[in-house]
PDB file of all heavy atoms in Angstrom:
ATOM      1  N   ASN A   1       0.192   3.934   5.309  1.00 90.00           N
ATOM      2  CA  ASN A   1      -0.497   2.677   5.611  1.00 90.00           C
ATOM      3  C   ASN A   1      -1.870   2.743   4.950  1.00 90.00           C
ATOM      4  O   ASN A   1      -2.820   3.287   5.509  1.00 90.00           O
ATOM      5  CB  ASN A   1      -0.619   2.494   7.127  1.00 90.00           C
ATOM      6  CG  ASN A   1      -1.225   1.155   7.495  1.00 90.00           C
ATOM      7  OD1 ASN A   1      -1.796   0.462   6.656  1.00 90.00           O
ATOM      8  ND2 ASN A   1      -1.106   0.789   8.762  1.00 90.00           N
ATOM      9  N   LEU A   2      -1.966   2.210   3.753  1.00 87.00           N
ATOM     10  CA  LEU A   2      -3.191   2.340   2.962  1.00 87.00           C
ATOM     11  C   LEU A   2      -4.332   1.466   3.483  1.00 87.00           C
ATOM     12  O   LEU A   2      -5.500   1.795   3.283  1.00 87.00           O
ATOM     13  CB  LEU A   2      -2.907   2.003   1.497  1.00 87.00           C
ATOM     14  CG  LEU A   2      -1.861   2.884   0.810  1.00 87.00           C
ATOM     15  CD1 LEU A   2      -1.625   2.420  -0.614  1.00 87.00           C
ATOM     16  CD2 LEU A   2      -2.261   4.343   0.845  1.00 87.00           C
ATOM     17  N   THR A   3      -4.009   0.377   4.160  1.00 87.00           N
ATOM     18  CA  THR A   3      -5.071  -0.526   4.632  1.00 87.00           C
ATOM     19  C   THR A   3      -5.878   0.091   5.763  1.00 87.00           C
ATOM     20  O   THR A   3      -7.057  -0.191   5.896  1.00 87.00           O
ATOM     21  CB  THR A   3      -4.498  -1.881   5.098  1.00 87.00           C
ATOM     22  OG1 THR A   3      -3.501  -1.641   6.086  1.00 87.00           O
ATOM     23  CG2 THR A   3      -3.889  -2.643   3.935  1.00 87.00           C
ATOM     24  N   ASP A   4      -5.264   0.934   6.576  1.00 83.00           N
ATOM     25  CA  ASP A   4      -5.969   1.577   7.688  1.00 83.00           C
ATOM     26  C   ASP A   4      -6.606   2.909   7.288  1.00 83.00           C
ATOM     27  O   ASP A   4      -7.087   3.644   8.137  1.00 83.00           O
ATOM     28  CB  ASP A   4      -5.005   1.825   8.868  1.00 83.00           C
ATOM     29  CG  ASP A   4      -4.605   0.526   9.551  1.00 83.00           C
ATOM     30  OD1 ASP A   4      -5.244  -0.501   9.279  1.00 83.00           O
ATOM     31  OD2 ASP A   4      -3.656   0.562  10.352  1.00 83.00           O
ATOM     32  N   ASP A   5      -6.574   3.233   5.995  1.00 80.00           N
ATOM     33  CA  ASP A   5      -7.064   4.530   5.535  1.00 80.00           C
ATOM     34  C   ASP A   5      -7.850   4.373   4.230  1.00 80.00           C
ATOM     35  O   ASP A   5      -7.450   4.890   3.179  1.00 80.00           O
ATOM     36  CB  ASP A   5      -5.848   5.457   5.325  1.00 80.00           C
ATOM     37  CG  ASP A   5      -6.245   6.893   5.044  1.00 80.00           C
ATOM     38  OD1 ASP A   5      -7.345   7.307   5.465  1.00 80.00           O
ATOM     39  OD2 ASP A   5      -5.444   7.588   4.399  1.00 80.00           O
ATOM     40  N   PRO A   6      -8.980   3.662   4.278  1.00 77.00           N
ATOM     41  CA  PRO A   6      -9.712   3.381   3.038  1.00 77.00           C
ATOM     42  C   PRO A   6     -10.227   4.619   2.313  1.00 77.00           C
ATOM     43  O   PRO A   6     -10.339   4.630   1.092  1.00 77.00           O
ATOM     44  CB  PRO A   6     -10.876   2.482   3.493  1.00 77.00           C
ATOM     45  CG  PRO A   6     -11.012   2.716   4.958  1.00 77.00           C
ATOM     46  CD  PRO A   6      -9.651   3.108   5.455  1.00 77.00           C
ATOM     47  N   GLU A   7     -10.539   5.674   3.038  1.00 81.00           N
ATOM     48  CA  GLU A   7     -11.037   6.898   2.400  1.00 81.00           C
ATOM     49  C   GLU A   7      -9.903   7.790   1.891  1.00 81.00           C
ATOM     50  O   GLU A   7     -10.137   8.707   1.120  1.00 81.00           O
ATOM     51  CB  GLU A   7     -11.905   7.695   3.394  1.00 81.00           C
ATOM     52  CG  GLU A   7     -13.123   6.948   3.879  1.00 81.00           C
ATOM     53  CD  GLU A   7     -14.061   6.581   2.743  1.00 81.00           C
ATOM     54  OE1 GLU A   7     -14.303   7.441   1.877  1.00 81.00           O
ATOM     55  OE2 GLU A   7     -14.531   5.430   2.714  1.00 81.00           O
ATOM     56  N   GLY A   8      -8.683   7.560   2.366  1.00 78.00           N
ATOM     57  CA  GLY A   8      -7.529   8.317   1.900  1.00 78.00           C
ATOM     58  C   GLY A   8      -7.279   9.639   2.592  1.00 78.00           C
ATOM     59  O   GLY A   8      -6.392  10.394   2.196  1.00 78.00           O
ATOM     60  N   ALA A   9      -8.037   9.956   3.655  1.00 87.00           N
ATOM     61  CA  ALA A   9      -7.879  11.250   4.329  1.00 87.00           C
ATOM     62  C   ALA A   9      -6.486  11.388   4.953  1.00 87.00           C
ATOM     63  O   ALA A   9      -5.814  12.415   4.797  1.00 87.00           O
ATOM     64  CB  ALA A   9      -8.954  11.431   5.392  1.00 87.00           C
ATOM     65  N   ARG A  10      -6.036  10.349   5.672  1.00 89.00           N
ATOM     66  CA  ARG A  10      -4.716  10.406   6.301  1.00 89.00           C
ATOM     67  C   ARG A  10      -3.619  10.434   5.237  1.00 89.00           C
ATOM     68  O   ARG A  10      -2.621  11.148   5.380  1.00 89.00           O
ATOM     69  CB  ARG A  10      -4.506   9.216   7.241  1.00 89.00           C
ATOM     70  CG  ARG A  10      -3.186   9.337   7.989  1.00 89.00           C
ATOM     71  CD  ARG A  10      -2.960   8.306   9.069  1.00 89.00           C
ATOM     72  NE  ARG A  10      -4.027   7.356   9.226  1.00 89.00           N
ATOM     73  CZ  ARG A  10      -3.855   6.027   9.242  1.00 89.00           C
ATOM     74  NH1 ARG A  10      -2.661   5.508   9.115  1.00 89.00           N
ATOM     75  NH2 ARG A  10      -4.872   5.215   9.407  1.00 89.00           N
ATOM     76  N   THR A  11      -3.810   9.679   4.169  1.00 90.00           N
ATOM     77  CA  THR A  11      -2.823   9.653   3.087  1.00 90.00           C
ATOM     78  C   THR A  11      -2.665  11.040   2.478  1.00 90.00           C
ATOM     79  O   THR A  11      -1.548  11.519   2.266  1.00 90.00           O
ATOM     80  CB  THR A  11      -3.237   8.634   2.002  1.00 90.00           C
ATOM     81  OG1 THR A  11      -3.339   7.338   2.602  1.00 90.00           O
ATOM     82  CG2 THR A  11      -2.242   8.588   0.869  1.00 90.00           C
ATOM     83  N   ARG A  12      -3.791  11.720   2.212  1.00 90.00           N
ATOM     84  CA  ARG A  12      -3.725  13.086   1.665  1.00 90.00           C
ATOM     85  C   ARG A  12      -2.988  14.022   2.615  1.00 90.00           C
ATOM     86  O   ARG A  12      -2.159  14.827   2.188  1.00 90.00           O
ATOM     87  CB  ARG A  12      -5.133  13.613   1.376  1.00 90.00           C
ATOM     88  CG  ARG A  12      -5.801  12.963   0.179  1.00 90.00           C
ATOM     89  CD  ARG A  12      -7.087  13.661  -0.213  1.00 90.00           C
ATOM     90  NE  ARG A  12      -8.123  13.585   0.806  1.00 90.00           N
ATOM     91  CZ  ARG A  12      -8.980  12.582   0.951  1.00 90.00           C
ATOM     92  NH1 ARG A  12      -8.908  11.545   0.141  1.00 90.00           N
ATOM     93  NH2 ARG A  12      -9.897  12.600   1.891  1.00 90.00           N
ATOM     94  N   ARG A  13      -3.297  13.923   3.914  1.00 91.00           N
ATOM     95  CA  ARG A  13      -2.641  14.782   4.910  1.00 91.00           C
ATOM     96  C   ARG A  13      -1.139  14.516   4.929  1.00 91.00           C
ATOM     97  O   ARG A  13      -0.326  15.448   4.921  1.00 91.00           O
ATOM     98  CB  ARG A  13      -3.241  14.549   6.296  1.00 91.00           C
ATOM     99  CG  ARG A  13      -2.627  15.434   7.378  1.00 91.00           C
ATOM    100  CD  ARG A  13      -3.199  15.166   8.755  1.00 91.00           C
ATOM    101  NE  ARG A  13      -3.258  13.782   9.165  1.00 91.00           N
ATOM    102  CZ  ARG A  13      -2.209  13.044   9.540  1.00 91.00           C
ATOM    103  NH1 ARG A  13      -0.991  13.570   9.547  1.00 91.00           N
ATOM    104  NH2 ARG A  13      -2.360  11.791   9.920  1.00 91.00           N
ATOM    105  N   GLN A  14      -0.746  13.231   4.938  1.00 93.00           N
ATOM    106  CA  GLN A  14       0.674  12.885   4.977  1.00 93.00           C
ATOM    107  C   GLN A  14       1.393  13.374   3.721  1.00 93.00           C
ATOM    108  O   GLN A  14       2.520  13.867   3.799  1.00 93.00           O
ATOM    109  CB  GLN A  14       0.857  11.367   5.120  1.00 93.00           C
ATOM    110  CG  GLN A  14       0.547  10.841   6.514  1.00 93.00           C
ATOM    111  CD  GLN A  14       0.735   9.334   6.578  1.00 93.00           C
ATOM    112  OE1 GLN A  14      -0.070   8.577   6.043  1.00 93.00           O
ATOM    113  NE2 GLN A  14       1.800   8.911   7.231  1.00 93.00           N
ATOM    114  N   LEU A  15       0.744  13.248   2.569  1.00 92.00           N
ATOM    115  CA  LEU A  15       1.374  13.701   1.327  1.00 92.00           C
ATOM    116  C   LEU A  15       1.557  15.213   1.296  1.00 92.00           C
ATOM    117  O   LEU A  15       2.537  15.717   0.752  1.00 92.00           O
ATOM    118  CB  LEU A  15       0.555  13.235   0.118  1.00 92.00           C
ATOM    119  CG  LEU A  15       0.571  11.731  -0.161  1.00 92.00           C
ATOM    120  CD1 LEU A  15      -0.379  11.387  -1.300  1.00 92.00           C
ATOM    121  CD2 LEU A  15       1.982  11.238  -0.475  1.00 92.00           C
ATOM    122  N   ARG A  16       0.615  15.951   1.892  1.00 91.00           N
ATOM    123  CA  ARG A  16       0.731  17.409   1.935  1.00 91.00           C
ATOM    124  C   ARG A  16       1.895  17.865   2.817  1.00 91.00           C
ATOM    125  O   ARG A  16       2.429  18.957   2.641  1.00 91.00           O
ATOM    126  CB  ARG A  16      -0.572  18.026   2.463  1.00 91.00           C
ATOM    127  CG  ARG A  16      -1.652  18.133   1.421  1.00 91.00           C
ATOM    128  CD  ARG A  16      -2.823  18.984   1.928  1.00 91.00           C
ATOM    129  NE  ARG A  16      -4.019  18.715   1.169  1.00 91.00           N
ATOM    130  CZ  ARG A  16      -5.049  17.975   1.591  1.00 91.00           C
ATOM    131  NH1 ARG A  16      -5.047  17.449   2.794  1.00 91.00           N
ATOM    132  NH2 ARG A  16      -6.094  17.788   0.818  1.00 91.00           N
ATOM    133  N   GLU A  17       2.261  17.038   3.799  1.00 91.00           N
ATOM    134  CA  GLU A  17       3.352  17.393   4.718  1.00 91.00           C
ATOM    135  C   GLU A  17       4.714  17.349   4.040  1.00 91.00           C
ATOM    136  O   GLU A  17       5.677  17.923   4.541  1.00 91.00           O
ATOM    137  CB  GLU A  17       3.340  16.462   5.937  1.00 91.00           C
ATOM    138  CG  GLU A  17       2.139  16.686   6.847  1.00 91.00           C
ATOM    139  CD  GLU A  17       2.027  15.636   7.943  1.00 91.00           C
ATOM    140  OE1 GLU A  17       2.874  14.717   7.996  1.00 91.00           O
ATOM    141  OE2 GLU A  17       1.076  15.724   8.738  1.00 91.00           O
ATOM    142  N   VAL A  18       4.805  16.672   2.909  1.00 89.00           N
ATOM    143  CA  VAL A  18       6.070  16.562   2.181  1.00 89.00           C
ATOM    144  C   VAL A  18       6.297  17.859   1.407  1.00 89.00           C
ATOM    145  O   VAL A  18       5.432  18.300   0.654  1.00 89.00           O
ATOM    146  CB  VAL A  18       6.033  15.361   1.204  1.00 89.00           C
ATOM    147  CG1 VAL A  18       7.320  15.287   0.400  1.00 89.00           C
ATOM    148  CG2 VAL A  18       5.786  14.068   1.957  1.00 89.00           C
ATOM    149  N   THR A  19       7.465  18.478   1.590  1.00 87.00           N
ATOM    150  CA  THR A  19       7.717  19.773   0.959  1.00 87.00           C
ATOM    151  C   THR A  19       8.409  19.670  -0.391  1.00 87.00           C
ATOM    152  O   THR A  19       8.446  20.654  -1.129  1.00 87.00           O
ATOM    153  CB  THR A  19       8.573  20.657   1.886  1.00 87.00           C
ATOM    154  OG1 THR A  19       9.814  19.992   2.141  1.00 87.00           O
ATOM    155  CG2 THR A  19       7.844  20.955   3.176  1.00 87.00           C
ATOM    156  N   ALA A  20       8.951  18.529  -0.738  1.00 91.00           N
ATOM    157  CA  ALA A  20       9.686  18.404  -1.999  1.00 91.00           C
ATOM    158  C   ALA A  20       8.742  18.208  -3.178  1.00 91.00           C
ATOM    159  O   ALA A  20       7.726  17.539  -3.075  1.00 91.00           O
ATOM    160  CB  ALA A  20      10.651  17.224  -1.912  1.00 91.00           C
ATOM    161  N   GLN A  21       9.110  18.803  -4.297  1.00 92.00           N
ATOM    162  CA  GLN A  21       8.326  18.619  -5.524  1.00 92.00           C
ATOM    163  C   GLN A  21       8.692  17.317  -6.229  1.00 92.00           C
ATOM    164  O   GLN A  21       7.912  16.800  -7.002  1.00 92.00           O
ATOM    165  CB  GLN A  21       8.534  19.805  -6.465  1.00 92.00           C
ATOM    166  CG  GLN A  21       7.914  21.079  -5.926  1.00 92.00           C
ATOM    167  CD  GLN A  21       8.167  22.234  -6.860  1.00 92.00           C
ATOM    168  OE1 GLN A  21       9.287  22.704  -6.985  1.00 92.00           O
ATOM    169  NE2 GLN A  21       7.121  22.678  -7.527  1.00 92.00           N
ATOM    170  N   ILE A  22       9.889  16.804  -5.964  1.00 93.00           N
ATOM    171  CA  ILE A  22      10.332  15.524  -6.528  1.00 93.00           C
ATOM    172  C   ILE A  22      10.066  14.458  -5.466  1.00 93.00           C
ATOM    173  O   ILE A  22      10.522  14.574  -4.329  1.00 93.00           O
ATOM    174  CB  ILE A  22      11.843  15.540  -6.860  1.00 93.00           C
ATOM    175  CG1 ILE A  22      12.216  16.755  -7.688  1.00 93.00           C
ATOM    176  CG2 ILE A  22      12.261  14.231  -7.510  1.00 93.00           C
ATOM    177  CD1 ILE A  22      11.666  16.764  -9.078  1.00 93.00           C
ATOM    178  N   ARG A  23       9.341  13.396  -5.860  1.00 94.00           N
ATOM    179  CA  ARG A  23       8.994  12.345  -4.901  1.00 94.00           C
ATOM    180  C   ARG A  23       9.342  10.985  -5.476  1.00 94.00           C
ATOM    181  O   ARG A  23       8.985  10.675  -6.617  1.00 94.00           O
ATOM    182  CB  ARG A  23       7.501  12.412  -4.574  1.00 94.00           C
ATOM    183  CG  ARG A  23       7.162  13.691  -3.820  1.00 94.00           C
ATOM    184  CD  ARG A  23       5.741  14.129  -4.056  1.00 94.00           C
ATOM    185  NE  ARG A  23       5.527  15.465  -3.500  1.00 94.00           N
ATOM    186  CZ  ARG A  23       4.758  15.715  -2.449  1.00 94.00           C
ATOM    187  NH1 ARG A  23       4.106  14.760  -1.851  1.00 94.00           N
ATOM    188  NH2 ARG A  23       4.644  16.944  -2.010  1.00 94.00           N
ATOM    189  N   LEU A  24      10.033  10.189  -4.679  1.00 94.00           N
ATOM    190  CA  LEU A  24      10.351   8.816  -5.056  1.00 94.00           C
ATOM    191  C   LEU A  24       9.360   7.920  -4.325  1.00 94.00           C
ATOM    192  O   LEU A  24       9.356   7.877  -3.098  1.00 94.00           O
ATOM    193  CB  LEU A  24      11.781   8.456  -4.649  1.00 94.00           C
ATOM    194  CG  LEU A  24      12.893   9.425  -5.073  1.00 94.00           C
ATOM    195  CD1 LEU A  24      14.241   8.885  -4.626  1.00 94.00           C
ATOM    196  CD2 LEU A  24      12.868   9.654  -6.564  1.00 94.00           C
ATOM    197  N   LEU A  25       8.533   7.212  -5.066  1.00 94.00           N
ATOM    198  CA  LEU A  25       7.472   6.389  -4.484  1.00 94.00           C
ATOM    199  C   LEU A  25       7.787   4.918  -4.660  1.00 94.00           C
ATOM    200  O   LEU A  25       8.034   4.450  -5.771  1.00 94.00           O
ATOM    201  CB  LEU A  25       6.135   6.719  -5.167  1.00 94.00           C
ATOM    202  CG  LEU A  25       4.933   5.841  -4.825  1.00 94.00           C
ATOM    203  CD1 LEU A  25       4.590   5.933  -3.341  1.00 94.00           C
ATOM    204  CD2 LEU A  25       3.737   6.218  -5.686  1.00 94.00           C
ATOM    205  N   TYR A  26       7.778   4.187  -3.550  1.00 92.00           N
ATOM    206  CA  TYR A  26       7.967   2.733  -3.584  1.00 92.00           C
ATOM    207  C   TYR A  26       6.656   2.077  -3.172  1.00 92.00           C
ATOM    208  O   TYR A  26       6.170   2.300  -2.062  1.00 92.00           O
ATOM    209  CB  TYR A  26       9.082   2.314  -2.621  1.00 92.00           C
ATOM    210  CG  TYR A  26       9.279   0.815  -2.553  1.00 92.00           C
ATOM    211  CD1 TYR A  26      10.002   0.155  -3.544  1.00 92.00           C
ATOM    212  CD2 TYR A  26       8.733   0.065  -1.514  1.00 92.00           C
ATOM    213  CE1 TYR A  26      10.180  -1.218  -3.488  1.00 92.00           C
ATOM    214  CE2 TYR A  26       8.914  -1.300  -1.465  1.00 92.00           C
ATOM    215  CZ  TYR A  26       9.636  -1.939  -2.447  1.00 92.00           C
ATOM    216  OH  TYR A  26       9.805  -3.294  -2.406  1.00 92.00           O
ATOM    217  N   CYS A  27       6.083   1.280  -4.083  1.00 90.00           N
ATOM    218  CA  CYS A  27       4.797   0.650  -3.805  1.00 90.00           C
ATOM    219  C   CYS A  27       4.496  -0.389  -4.872  1.00 90.00           C
ATOM    220  O   CYS A  27       5.238  -0.531  -5.842  1.00 90.00           O
ATOM    221  CB  CYS A  27       3.693   1.705  -3.787  1.00 90.00           C
ATOM    222  SG  CYS A  27       3.466   2.510  -5.382  1.00 90.00           S
ATOM    223  N   SER A  28       3.379  -1.097  -4.693  1.00 85.00           N
ATOM    224  CA  SER A  28       2.901  -2.015  -5.730  1.00 85.00           C
ATOM    225  C   SER A  28       2.086  -1.218  -6.736  1.00 85.00           C
ATOM    226  O   SER A  28       1.732  -0.052  -6.495  1.00 85.00           O
ATOM    227  CB  SER A  28       2.037  -3.109  -5.115  1.00 85.00           C
ATOM    228  OG  SER A  28       0.797  -2.568  -4.674  1.00 85.00           O
ATOM    229  N   ARG A  29       1.747  -1.852  -7.844  1.00 80.00           N
ATOM    230  CA  ARG A  29       0.968  -1.152  -8.865  1.00 80.00           C
ATOM    231  C   ARG A  29      -0.415  -0.757  -8.344  1.00 80.00           C
ATOM    232  O   ARG A  29      -0.886   0.344  -8.568  1.00 80.00           O
ATOM    233  CB  ARG A  29       0.824  -2.009 -10.115  1.00 80.00           C
ATOM    234  CG  ARG A  29       0.289  -1.195 -11.271  1.00 80.00           C
ATOM    235  CD  ARG A  29      -0.054  -2.023 -12.470  1.00 80.00           C
ATOM    236  NE  ARG A  29      -0.360  -1.180 -13.604  1.00 80.00           N
ATOM    237  CZ  ARG A  29      -1.426  -0.417 -13.701  1.00 80.00           C
ATOM    238  NH1 ARG A  29      -2.298  -0.377 -12.716  1.00 80.00           N
ATOM    239  NH2 ARG A  29      -1.641   0.334 -14.761  1.00 80.00           N
ATOM    240  N   ASP A  30      -1.080  -1.674  -7.634  1.00 82.00           N
ATOM    241  CA  ASP A  30      -2.403  -1.371  -7.084  1.00 82.00           C
ATOM    242  C   ASP A  30      -2.328  -0.226  -6.077  1.00 82.00           C
ATOM    243  O   ASP A  30      -3.202   0.639  -6.046  1.00 82.00           O
ATOM    244  CB  ASP A  30      -3.021  -2.609  -6.430  1.00 82.00           C
ATOM    245  CG  ASP A  30      -3.371  -3.673  -7.470  1.00 82.00           C
ATOM    246  OD1 ASP A  30      -3.549  -3.314  -8.654  1.00 82.00           O
ATOM    247  OD2 ASP A  30      -3.463  -4.857  -7.094  1.00 82.00           O
ATOM    248  N   GLU A  31      -1.276  -0.237  -5.250  1.00 88.00           N
ATOM    249  CA  GLU A  31      -1.113   0.839  -4.279  1.00 88.00           C
ATOM    250  C   GLU A  31      -0.826   2.165  -4.977  1.00 88.00           C
ATOM    251  O   GLU A  31      -1.259   3.220  -4.516  1.00 88.00           O
ATOM    252  CB  GLU A  31       0.023   0.503  -3.315  1.00 88.00           C
ATOM    253  CG  GLU A  31      -0.303  -0.626  -2.364  1.00 88.00           C
ATOM    254  CD  GLU A  31       0.898  -1.069  -1.557  1.00 88.00           C
ATOM    255  OE1 GLU A  31       2.045  -0.970  -2.061  1.00 88.00           O
ATOM    256  OE2 GLU A  31       0.705  -1.526  -0.418  1.00 88.00           O
ATOM    257  N   ALA A  32      -0.111   2.112  -6.114  1.00 88.00           N
ATOM    258  CA  ALA A  32       0.205   3.345  -6.847  1.00 88.00           C
ATOM    259  C   ALA A  32      -1.080   4.047  -7.264  1.00 88.00           C
ATOM    260  O   ALA A  32      -1.172   5.278  -7.195  1.00 88.00           O
ATOM    261  CB  ALA A  32       1.071   3.032  -8.071  1.00 88.00           C
ATOM    262  N   GLU A  33      -2.077   3.288  -7.674  1.00 87.00           N
ATOM    263  CA  GLU A  33      -3.348   3.893  -8.073  1.00 87.00           C
ATOM    264  C   GLU A  33      -3.974   4.647  -6.902  1.00 87.00           C
ATOM    265  O   GLU A  33      -4.454   5.767  -7.054  1.00 87.00           O
ATOM    266  CB  GLU A  33      -4.290   2.826  -8.612  1.00 87.00           C
ATOM    267  CG  GLU A  33      -3.801   2.233  -9.923  1.00 87.00           C
ATOM    268  CD  GLU A  33      -4.751   1.198 -10.499  1.00 87.00           C
ATOM    269  OE1 GLU A  33      -5.891   1.093 -10.003  1.00 87.00           O
ATOM    270  OE2 GLU A  33      -4.348   0.509 -11.439  1.00 87.00           O
ATOM    271  N   ALA A  34      -3.950   4.027  -5.703  1.00 88.00           N
ATOM    272  CA  ALA A  34      -4.531   4.679  -4.515  1.00 88.00           C
ATOM    273  C   ALA A  34      -3.716   5.911  -4.111  1.00 88.00           C
ATOM    274  O   ALA A  34      -4.276   6.954  -3.754  1.00 88.00           O
ATOM    275  CB  ALA A  34      -4.606   3.691  -3.355  1.00 88.00           C
TER     276      ALA A  34
END
């Protein structure tokens, strides 16, 4: 949820929890940058 996490701290934590090296990302182009 990028809107509730403007600094990206929660996003970084959530991404670190993923153990796979291959990641399928579904998002908009603007969200992809974040």
Side-chain angles (χ1 to χ4, degrees):
N1 185 346
L2 300 178
T3 55
D4 289 347
D5 189 26
E7 299 299 316
R10 185 173 0 129
T11 301
R12 288 189 296 274
R13 181 182 49 74
Q14 286 179 287
L15 290 175
R16 280 191 200 104
E17 291 172 359
V18 177
T19 60
Q21 291 179 290
I22 309 292
R23 293 152 189 248
L24 309 182
L25 172 62
Y26 177 80
C27 64
S28 70
R29 192 188 189 291
D30 292 337
E31 290 172 329
E33 293 182 12

